[in-house]
Structure formats: C-alpha cells, structure tokens
Amino acid sequence: MALGVSLALSFSCAPAALASRASVAAIAPTPPMGWSSWYKFGCGINEALFQQTARALVSTGMSAIGYRYVNIDDCWMARQRSPSGALQPNPREFPDGISGLAAYVHARGLKLGIYLDTGSATCTGFPGSAGHLGQDIPTLAAWKIDYVKADYCRSRPAPAKPIYTRLQQAISATGRPMLLNICEWGYQNPWEWGAGIGSTWRTTGDYFSYGAPRDYWKAILKVLDLNAPLASFAHPGAWNDPNAMLIGTGALTATEERSQLSLWSILAAPLIAGGDLTKLSRSTLAVLKNRDVVTVDQDPAGEQGTRLVRDSVHQVWLRPLAGGSHALLLLNSSSRSATLTANLAKLGLPLRSVYLVRDLWTHRLYRSTGTISGRVGPHDVLMVKIAA
Ligand code: GLA
C-alpha cells in the first residue's frame, strides 16, 4: 500500500518536479546575501528589530552591494497554532503580523526570510511543521515570504530527502518563488541530493558543535575542514551553506571577521551577516562592504574554491572565476604571524612570465612573476585575484 502510494506520487509529480528543478535553480544564480537574527539575537526578536535592520541594510549601503534578505530565525511564532491550525506570529512581538513586516521590507527593495522546522517542534520548542507543510507553506506564501529556512530539529530519524522534496513541492504549488534553505546540518549528505530541492543546504552543525563559544576561531577552522571536500557539489542555483557568518555579532576579532568573509567567498557560500546592523563598527562595516571580496563570492561561474594546502600553520585556497581569472587565498590559521607563499604555476595556473594581481583587501594592483607571498598575521588572510 505504502509503496503503491509513493509510486503513484513519483509518477504524477515527475513533470512538476522537473519544472521545479529549473525554477529552484533560478532563485539563487549566485549565493544569497543578507542578514539573520539568530547568532546575535536568538529568541530576543520582534518586529522593530527587523524593521530597523531593513532600514540599516539600506542606510549602510549594504543592500546596494547585495545584502537583501532579512531573515527571521527561530522564535517568531506564537506558542500555539491558530484555531484553524495555521502558524501565527507572537502577537505581542509582531503586532503588524508577518505580512505587515513583509510589506515594510519589500518597500525598501529587500526580501523577507522566515524559519520553520520540519519536525514536531522547532529547536526552541515552537510549533513544528511535521504534518502541516500543506498548510504552512501556503501561509508563508500568502504573507509574501521570499526565503524559507527549514530546520530539522525533532525530525530524526526520518530521512531528510523526502521531507525536503515534499516541502519544495509545496513551495512550487504556491506559485511564489521562495528560496528554500535545507537546514539538516549535513547529517544525510544534503549536497548529494539538495540541488533542485533547495537553493542552499547547511553542510554543518552550529558553531557550538565545534568549540564555540569558547573558541569561535576553532569552530570556523572545523567548518572549513568539513566544507573543503564539498566543492564539486556547488553550482549556480545550488550552494553549500557553511552557516551564517559571525561577522558583526561580536564573536570574532576584526581580523577574523575579514578572514571569515574571505573564506566564505572562496567557498561560494551564502553571505548572511549577523549582529546589530544599527551599531556596526566602522571596521565590521568595511569588511562586509568589501566589494572586491563580495564579487568573488558572487562570481557568475559559481564554482566553489578548493583547498590545495593545509598544514598546522596555513591553508591555500583557489577559486576559478568566470573568464579565466582566479581568486587565491592564503590563510594563517595559527596564532603567530607567518610568511606565507604560494607558487602560481605549482597551483596549476597557466605558466606565464608575468601575472596581474590585485590584493582584495589593500586593493593594490601589482605584477608578479608567479610567487605570491606576504607576512600574514594570526588568523588573517592574504587574498588576491589573478587576472586571466
Ligand atoms: C538550529 C539551526 C540554527 C538556528 C537554531 C534556531 O540549531 O542550526 O541555525 O536556526 O536552530 O533554534
């Protein structure tokens, strides 16, 4: 019986699934960029926070370089569903409802993201969407949501792929393009099946699984190790998501903030910032607005960079870019300054007598005969673009 039902479903959904694969890919031709409430505000969220964040995205100039998604994470819901079984926001914290907030965000040229959970409850205990996807996804579409982060708490041991497939079918059925972020933390290898179902899939758990908050830098290095083998799974429309960035939350030093932006850009990762955007330091804002680095992240070829060297002191990452240029990143992962060096021919770049190089943090343009080298401080990077 169960087999008969699933066969019938898979036959009847085949054309729809094909159509949705193309439309899913069209939603995020480059990795999404924006902001999420989780890492700074956790459950301390309300409508005013998202309104002020939307205004700050515009006034800081962040939206002009691509940070467009304002993402509501966990804890926006009322404890109970409505009498008709619909998800509803906490009425005290969101007096204008989510549709009111969507109108506010859209009026500023931005997009609104929201969070749900595929299990029986969200990670912090709000209503889960297990058994309710057919109702919840149309609810989000009616509110004019643009981005759905679908978490996986209290969902296991159910296999993730069929759940997220049903979720995407529910999204497609609404006719509203909504980006689906598959957030099952990489347990069931979502990079192998996520393309065409979601636009992005979390590859890893939360930072605290890897040493944070005691050591955020250690957590970032662990996330890098877990993402390094996944480069071949990313392509335009379908991206590995190594998690929202910690930039702006106060978890990282100024140096580590620029390293995280650089590394996430080599990884072709979603650039989702955290923090209170109304109070960003000059240095944090300058990091987030480094157009040279963001342009690497948003490169239209959509090839994720690969790690070519990793030892206890340093790592070398290379990302091929559209038109034959490359982004090269030398990371000093250690806590002491070091002189880092990379030989372009040895890294596989075409042999040439001279290369045109742009330092993506100092913005200096220079010629090199093939050795990129520099003194790099602890937890810092040297990142350059090598012209075609
Ligand atoms: C999980 C996710 C986080 C965040 C929290 C919210 O832990 O991985 O990104 O959404 O749930 O509870």
Side-chain angles (χ1 to χ4, degrees):
M1 177 65 186
L3 182 67
V5 169
S6 79
L7 274 179
L9 261 181
S10 61
F11 280 122
S12 66
C13 290
L18 274 181
S20 92
R21 196 179 169 91
S23 53
V24 171
I27 289 186
T30 61
M33 296 172 62
W35 175 90
S36 159
S37 55
W38 183 249
Y39 280 103
K40 178 76 182 179
F41 297 97
C43 283
I45 57 174
N46 57 35
E47 179 178 291
L49 169 67
F50 296 98
Q51 291 174 340
Q52 82 191 25
T53 299
R55 291 196 302 272
L57 279 169
V58 176
S59 66
T60 56
M62 284 177 66
S63 64
I65 75 162
Y67 296 91
R68 295 215 176 87
Y69 288 99
V70 178
N71 289 349
I72 308 171
D73 209 280
D74 200 355
C75 306
W76 61 271
M77 296 171 194
R79 287 279 166 201
Q80 308 291 338
R81 289 175 174 270
S82 76
S84 65
L87 285 179
Q88 48 185 356
N90 176 325
R92 199 160 35 92
E93 307 298 354
F94 293 88
D96 296 328
I98 302 301
S99 58
L101 185 55
Y104 189 95
V105 164
H106 291 154
R108 283 151 185 83
L110 305 170
K111 293 175 180 290
L112 188 64
I114 208 161
Y115 167 104
L116 58 68
D117 189 284
T118 62
S120 55
T122 76
C123 297
T124 59
F126 289 90
S129 292
H132 294 271
L133 286 175
Q135 181 172 16
D136 292 348
I137 296 300
T139 298
L140 303 193
W143 289 341
K144 297 202 163 33
I145 290 293
D146 305 294
Y147 177 121
V148 182
K149 170 173 171 176
D151 213 348
Y152 202 62
C153 274
R154 299 173 225 219
S155 304
R156 280 180 286 166
K161 183 179 174 185
I163 294 180
Y164 286 101
T165 303
R166 277 203 300 282
L167 185 37
Q168 181 53 252
Q169 283 165 352
I171 290 178
S172 301
T174 69
R176 181 170 179 83
M178 294 192 279
L179 188 157
L180 173 58
N181 173 228
I182 297 170
C183 182
E184 69 76 73
W185 318 298
Y187 286 141
Q188 298 179 35
N189 297 2
W191 43 88
E192 288 172 359
W193 48 263
I197 297 176
S199 301
T200 56
W201 50 85
R202 276 276 294 277
T203 52
T204 42
D206 293 340
Y207 293 104
F208 66 72
S209 319
Y210 310 124
R214 196 176 34 80
D215 190 344
Y216 279 103
W217 181 248
K218 181 177 164 200
I220 287 180
L221 294 181
K222 180 67 184 172
V223 170
L224 287 181
D225 286 346
L226 292 167
N227 280 272
L230 305 180
S232 65
F233 297 102
H235 53 82
W239 310 103
N240 290 307
D241 172 9
N243 206 350
M245 301 185 296
L246 294 163
I247 300 172
T249 65
L252 304 180
T253 66
T255 300
E256 291 165 349
E257 288 194 335
R258 72 182 199 152
S259 292
Q260 187 170 39
L261 188 84
S262 306
L263 289 158
W264 263 228
S265 296
I266 287 284
L267 288 169
L271 299 183
I272 307 293
D276 180 344
L277 296 191
T278 65
K279 297 201 185 104
L280 291 185
S281 69
R282 288 242 299 259
S283 139
T284 296
L285 194 55
V287 166
L288 290 168
K289 287 178 64 183
N290 184 330
R291 205 181 271 275
D292 277 353
V293 174
V294 168
T295 301
V296 170
D297 182 72
Q298 298 289 302
D299 184 74
E303 252 191 87
Q304 181 174 324
T306 51
R307 186 164 68 183
L308 303 176
V309 177
R310 177 199 191 279
D311 62 26
S312 60
V313 175
H314 87 303
Q315 302 184 12
V316 178
W317 292 75
L318 188 67
R319 177 171 175 186
L321 303 173
S325 55
H326 287 82
L328 171 71
L329 181 149
L330 308 183
L331 167 70
N332 180 354
S333 54
S334 81
S335 49
R336 296 219 178 127
S337 284
T339 299
L340 305 185
T341 303
N343 181 293
L344 298 182
K346 280 199 191 138
L347 295 179
L349 266 71
L351 202 57
R352 271 196 240 120
S353 53
V354 63
Y355 298 84
L356 198 55
V357 179
R358 184 176 178 81
D359 186 304
L360 300 187
W361 284 102
T362 65
H363 311 292
R364 186 171 71 95
L365 198 60
Y366 62 97
R367 285 169 200 283
S368 159
T369 53
T371 301
I372 306 293
S373 185
R375 193 82 191 151
V376 183
H379 302 185
D380 204 355
V381 293
L382 192 166
M383 188 178 184
V384 297
K385 179 175 172 183
I386 299 136

